[in-house]
Amino acid sequence: VSDKYSDLELLRELYEKNSSKIIVNYTRRFHPSYKKLREDIEKISVREKLTNISIRYQRGFLNNCSHAFDTIEYLMNQEIKLTEIKKHNSANDHFENDPTISIQAFWNDTNMNVLGLSYVKFSHFEIDIYFQYHKIIINESGQRIEILRSEKEAEFLNPLTQQNVYTECLKNQMVHVISRTEDLLADKRSKDNFIGSLKLNQRMLNILQN
């Protein structure tokens, strides 16, 4: 939303004083494939502990990694609030006020590794989500999702086997954003994603500036 705290506070004040609704263009949270993945994760989470998350991105922490953070928040239905943050590899390779950074941190008891691919000249966006016996792979900029599972009998060291694959997960992505916008216009009780996006923006700014 912005790279300045003052902008975010002003936007919050204006938003709270008015009745307009605002959609922030985190398109994956509006796509049916990611809704289905969220349902899959809810079922897995009942039986297994979330253990690790790996993100690989390029072109700005706020600009691009925010899409990964928002996707994870949507899939897990929980805000990302990191602790024990170790920041490194900061490079202003695309934006003056938004470096591409790498971080190592914890989200509750989950190890989170964020690799910022500085100075690369191609698009790159990948997320791996690990449970005790499941691995979820989001690659091709989010276009393809794979769900893999290991059998429990041996407790560990069993190989992963593919369970489900979702393809074309970004197909007609703006159609789904527009559809959500139409829902908001039709039902005043429906909520947009503005305040959640603004809060995420603030937490990410705090990582950059500390």
Side-chain angles (χ1 to χ4, degrees), residues 18-19 23 46-47 52 60 114 131 162 183:
N18 292 276
S19 59
I23 289 287
V46 171
R47 306 185 302 273
N52 297 272
V114 179
F131 291 87
Q162 192 177 82
D183 291 342

Side-chain angles (χ1 to χ4, degrees), residues 9 26 73 89 93 109 118 144 170 189 192 208:
E9 290 302 319
Y26 289 135
E73 288 193 342
N89 188 37
D93 52 345
D109 294 328
S118 53
R144 179 181 173 90
L170 297 181
R189 295 169 297 177
D192 58 29
L208 280 181

Side-chain angles (χ1 to χ4, degrees), residues 123-200:
S123 177
H124 197 85
F125 181 96
E126 295 178 345
I127 304 171
D128 294 335
I129 301 172
Y130 297 85
F131 291 87
Q132 289 171 296
Y133 299 98
H134 280 79
K135 179 182 179 182
I136 295 165
I137 301 171
I138 299 172
N139 58 19
E140 298 177 15
S141 294
Q143 180 78 340
R144 179 181 173 90
I145 298 169
E146 298 179 51
I147 301 176
L148 301 96
R149 186 185 70 182
S150 172
E151 296 298 329
K152 290 185 178 182
E153 282 75 7
E155 290 301 318
F156 64 93
L157 299 182
N158 271 351
L160 290 165
T161 57
Q162 192 177 82
Q163 300 297 302
N164 290 309
V165 178
Y166 304 141
T167 59
E168 298 187 334
C169 299
L170 297 181
K171 186 177 181 179
N172 298 324
Q173 57 182 323
M174 290 309 300
V175 170
H176 301 294
V177 176
I178 293 167
S179 177
R180 179 60 183 145
T181 304
E182 291 172 343
D183 291 342
L184 288 170
L185 291 171
D187 183 0
K188 292 183 179 180
R189 295 169 297 177
S190 297
K191 293 184 178 181
D192 58 29
N193 68 325
F194 179 72
I195 291 297
S197 300
L198 187 147
K199 289 180 178 179
L200 174 60

